Structure formats: structure tokens, C-alpha cells
Amino acid sequence: MDIPFTFTVPLPTAVPTRADKHLERRLSALKGQFLDTERYQAMLAEEDRLVYEVYEIHRPEVPGELLLGISVVHPGQVGQEFFMTKGHFHTVLDTAEIYYVLKGEGFMVMETPEGACSVEALTPGKVLYVPPRWGHRSVCTARQDDLVTLFIYPANAGHDYGTIEQQGFRKLVIEGAAGIEVIDNPRWKQ
Ligand code: F6R
Ligand code: ZN
């Protein structure tokens, strides 16, 4: 039988004291996601930089259980676009997710298959509820600091990366002339 457990996420390092899996995603894992493909290729040729990391707590992937962990998106840009996660829909679309921002600055870019979209600013202390059906991607917009979030979602949700890999999200977060801007993704087709 399971027993209750705790772990802590000491700041500022934000490395949790417990993790069953530590995942690293580098630039090469985000092929096709950044708009400026020339800059992407040039950066990749130089170094396959670490873009984000995920610390996961393992639980059985069955209804009733929750999966949780810490997501760390590092600062950086490919052209005007900020470093971000791959982003996904949950395979079981009708499953929600909660994010709690521990550190850093950024955005959660979200959309539904039905065409709704939303981009929420993430700042320390904020709780974001991502309802069922909303695909989601975290973007780090700070110059120096990581964007660190705690995430919790139903353990049977699964991840569908393929839909986003095809044409990305409808909205992009970029460094524009006047600062941080949320723009329409020109690659996105109806
Ligand atoms: C789980 C979830 C987060 C992300 C993590 C990395 O459903 O949304 O744990 O998995 O932020 O992002 P992806 O999975 O898009 O590479
Ligand atoms: Zn998710």
C-alpha cells in the first residue's frame, strides 16, 4: 500500500528533493517549432543548448492517481522567439492540469481543438488552471532567470505532441520592437 509522501523544492535552485525521472530537452528536440528556422539551424550547429528540464514523480498512470513534478524552462531566444516547451494536448483530451509558478517570468500559451486560444502571464505565486481540452506550452521570457512551475494532472492523461509538432500553437511569444509581444503564428493554417 502507498504511504503519503512529501518533498520540497528549495529556492533559488528549484531542484526538488525527490524526482523519479529527470528529463532534459535540448534545441534539437524542438525541431520545426521556432519560426526563425535559419537562426535555429545556426544555433544548433553551434551548440545543442538545454532549453528545459522536467523532474517527474512516478505514479501509476491510472484514473484516480495524479502525476506531478517541476518544470524548468531556461532563458534564451531563437531569433525573436523565447525558449519554450514543446507543448502538447493531453491524449485524454478531457483532462485538466494545474500549474503553480515558483519562480521566473513567462507565459502559458493555450488553445483548444475548437479554435479558442488564451495566453496567460506567469509570475511567481500565480496558480493557473488549464481546463480539459486546452493544449499548453510554457514560455520563459526572463533574461536571466529560469521559469519554474509545479504541475499536477490526472495520471491517465497521456501526451499528444504530434498535433502541435505539425504547425505549432496559434500564438507566439516574441521579443518585439516595443518589448514582449504575443503575435499570431504565421505558420498556423485554419
Ligand atoms: C504535463 C505537463 C508538464 C509538461 C512540461 C514539459 O502534462 O504539461 O509537465 O510536460 O512542462 O512540457 P512538454 O511536455 O510539452 O515537453
Ligand atoms: Zn500537460
Side-chain angles (χ1 to χ4, degrees), residues 21-75:
K21 189 172 169 191
H22 176 209
L23 211 135
E24 290 187 340
R25 286 224 210 275
R26 295 180 178 273
L27 263 187
S28 52
L30 286 134
K31 190 170 183 290
Q33 286 306 310
F34 291 102
L35 197 58
D36 190 340
T37 48
E38 256 178 50
R39 185 74 198 114
Y40 173 81
Q41 287 303 343
M43 282 177 73
L44 197 56
E46 217 170 86
E47 188 193 345
D48 193 5
R49 277 176 63 185
L50 184 60
V51 178
Y52 64 97
E53 301 175 64
V54 184
Y55 297 91
E56 292 176 348
I57 306 285
H58 279 170
R59 297 298 308 161
E61 295 183 9
V62 297
E65 286 278 356
L66 297 170
L67 290 180
L68 73 166
I70 299 294
S71 159
V72 181
V73 186
H74 296 295

Side-chain angles (χ1 to χ4, degrees), residues 88-157:
H88 57 265
F89 287 93
H90 291 163
T91 313
V92 180
L93 255 183
D94 282 322
T95 50
E97 183 154 349
I98 289 172
Y99 279 85
Y100 176 60
V101 186
L102 292 159
K103 187 181 151 182
E105 306 285 335
F107 290 85
M108 189 71 78
V109 177
M110 296 167 281
E111 67 187 41
T112 67
E114 290 75 28
C117 57
S118 169
V119 179
E120 281 293 336
L122 301 179
T123 50
K126 203 177 245 192
V127 178
L128 170 66
Y129 185 79
V130 182
R133 307 188 76 76
W134 287 78
H136 42 282
R137 156 182 285 166
S138 326
V139 182
C140 172
T141 54
R143 307 238 155 259
Q144 313 259 332
D145 230 1
D146 296 331
L147 172 67
V148 182
T149 51
L150 165 77
F151 58 82
I152 307 165
Y153 63 103
N156 62 322

Side-chain angles (χ1 to χ4, degrees), residues 30-37 81 84 137 164-170 172 184-190:
L30 286 134
K31 190 170 183 290
Q33 286 306 310
F34 291 102
L35 197 58
D36 190 340
T37 48
E81 220 173 341
M84 60 196 185
R137 156 182 285 166
I164 297 300
E165 273 166 7
Q166 278 168 31
Q167 53 185 13
F169 281 82
R170 286 161 191 258
L172 305 178
D184 289 332
N185 178 1
R187 280 198 311 143
W188 211 96
K189 294 175 201 73
Q190 290 300 321

